[in-house]
Amino acid sequence: MTFIARIPKIVVALLLIAAITNLLVGVFLRYVMIPVTDSLDLDPIPFTWVEEVGEMLLAYLTLIGAAIGVRERAHFTLHVLKLTPRGFLLVDRVHFVLVTALGLLIAWFGVRLCILNSTLTTPGLQINLAVLYGAAVVGGLLLAVYAVSMIVAPTRPTADLLH
């Protein structure tokens, strides 16, 4: 089960490596290869695909990363109320119910966007736009699953969060 739980983190790490590589390739093509092809009077190397790939990588990276942040309790919290441990647990669970609802809403709109844009493709690589909007589906569902897991079995005891 631990390997399955690590899959989103592995995916985010791979997406991050791919995004950095994509960015470096784009910079190389723009600032090195354009002057080279211009000076040698060659046809330019098209690199419009770099933006499309970067956009898709960033969408998946952001939405999967947000879900991981929920599970790891990495998002910002502000404790302004003095609550008992039981009161804090209640507020914490209500919070994760709202996060679950938000994740499901994101996934639902993501599915609608996938269906709506399933006949369209990106201009450079001709990738179906449903692949891009699939990030909302994946991220929203993962967000909902992680939020439900925090309701059922929080990662830290309530007393630790009060300090």
Side-chain angles (χ1 to χ4, degrees):
M1 193 64 174
T2 28
F3 176 73
I4 293 173
R6 289 185 189 166
I7 289 175
K9 290 182 182 180
I10 294 168
V11 168
V12 164
L14 294 174
L15 287 170
L16 189 58
I17 291 167
I20 291 169
T21 303
N22 182 62
L23 182 64
L24 290 173
V25 167
V27 168
F28 177 78
L29 290 174
R30 175 171 281 140
Y31 295 107
V32 175
M33 293 310 295
I34 286 180
V36 169
T37 56
D38 284 347
S39 66
L40 296 175
D41 199 28
L42 298 172
D43 289 335
I45 299 171
F47 58 92
T48 55
W49 59 269
V50 172
E51 183 181 342
E52 292 176 9
V53 170
E55 183 179 333
M56 289 187 191
L57 291 171
L58 185 61
Y60 279 93
L61 184 66
T62 301
L63 289 160
I64 295 171
I68 292 170
V70 166
R71 182 68 183 140
E72 299 287 323
R73 290 188 180 267
H75 294 290
F76 176 75
T77 58
L78 182 61
H79 303 280
V80 294
L81 300 174
K82 296 275 186 184
L83 298 172
T84 64
R86 184 178 169 103
F88 185 82
L89 184 61
L90 177 65
V91 168
D92 204 41
R93 288 199 169 142
V94 167
H95 162 256
F96 284 115
V97 166
L98 293 173
V99 171
T100 302
L102 178 66
L104 293 174
L105 185 67
I106 291 169
W108 183 69
F109 275 108
V111 168
R112 293 192 58 189
L113 281 170
C114 286
I115 293 168
L116 181 66
N117 293 296
S118 63
T119 59
L120 302 174
T121 59
T122 61
L125 294 174
Q126 300 299 308
I127 296 173
N128 191 316
L129 276 180
V131 173
L132 174 63
Y133 295 115
V137 179
V138 171
L141 290 176
L142 191 59
L143 187 67
V145 166
Y146 279 167
V148 167
S149 76
M150 296 301 287
I151 295 168
V152 176
T155 56
R156 287 186 249 157
T158 305
D160 287 351
L161 295 171
L162 293 174
H163 301 292

